[in-house]
Amino acid sequence: MKINGVLLRFVGEAVAIVAAAVIAGPILHLAWWEVGLAVFLVLAAGIVVESLIAGREAQPAPRPAAPAPPRVEESESSVRVLAERPAPEPEPVRLPEPEPEPEPIAPEPEPEPEPEPVAVAVAAPPVRLSGPPWNVWELERAFQASGDADEEKTFMLQYLRDYAGVDGVLPPEFDDLVRESFGSLL
């Protein structure tokens, strides 16, 4: 019959929610959010009532106290005391004797002396000994005067402009490049 009680409560809650919506909406002409609030309040009330009912049902009925088992008194004759035996002594553990190290047959050769470090000469970068620094504008004039139509040199002059100063002077790092590429024009 417990299922009938649950079904009865469910039907009661459903009727209360529908009645709240009908009364709040068509009868009282409330806004949609007010109807929703009314339905929510009825639902919350149903949950509170349901939890109170479930709380009562969950409490177990008090049980009658079970009779205590009869007490048995022990007599001295039922207890037996055993004498303590001494533990046997452990036998000493014998470790195997270490084997003697074999004597070396021949003496070890002495290590060879390490070779002395050798000084390494580092070549200094080539330095331009004579003449002023290269000028991109002068190189370009010399190239045009030669009448040579080499595209590689034309592109090289174009890229050297990026590294030249405002006055057209190239840094000394480009000395070897200028000598290799434009040596025949100079």
Side-chain angles (χ1 to χ4, degrees):
M1 291 293 163
K2 188 167 183 132
I3 293 177
N4 290 337
V6 172
L7 182 63
L8 184 64
R9 281 193 302 238
F10 174 74
V11 169
E13 288 175 8
V15 167
I17 291 172
V18 170
V22 168
I23 292 172
I27 295 176
L28 297 177
H29 303 291
L30 297 177
W32 66 268
W33 63 271
E34 292 171 327
V35 173
L37 181 64
V39 168
F40 177 74
L41 291 175
V42 170
L43 178 65
I47 291 173
V48 169
V49 169
E50 188 71 31
S51 66
L52 291 175
I53 292 172
R56 280 191 200 154
E57 291 175 356
Q59 292 178 352
R63 294 183 184 173
R71 185 174 178 153
V72 178
E73 293 185 23
E74 294 181 15
S75 64
E76 289 184 29
S77 62
S78 64
V79 177
R80 194 169 120 201
V81 177
L82 297 176
E84 188 176 322
R85 290 187 207 166
E89 291 186 24
E91 294 184 25
V93 178
R94 292 187 178 185
L95 297 176
E97 293 183 20
E99 296 180 19
E101 292 185 23
E103 294 183 22
I105 297 173
E108 295 181 20
E110 293 184 22
E112 295 181 19
E114 293 186 24
E116 293 186 22
V118 177
V120 177
V122 178
V127 178
R128 188 170 172 202
L129 299 175
S130 63
W134 300 111
N135 189 312
V136 172
W137 312 125
E138 291 176 10
L139 289 171
E140 193 170 338
R141 274 187 232 116
F143 177 67
Q144 288 175 355
S146 70
D148 194 6
D150 188 5
E151 285 185 15
E152 183 179 335
K153 289 181 182 177
T154 305
F155 285 123
M156 189 172 302
L157 282 170
Q158 185 178 0
Y159 289 118
L160 283 174
R161 289 180 193 160
D162 293 339
Y163 296 99
V166 176
D167 56 352
V169 175
L170 287 169
E173 292 88 28
F174 292 100
D175 187 50
D176 289 338
L177 179 67
V178 171
R179 285 185 191 270
E180 265 183 49
S181 301
F182 301 100
S184 61
L185 300 175
L186 304 175

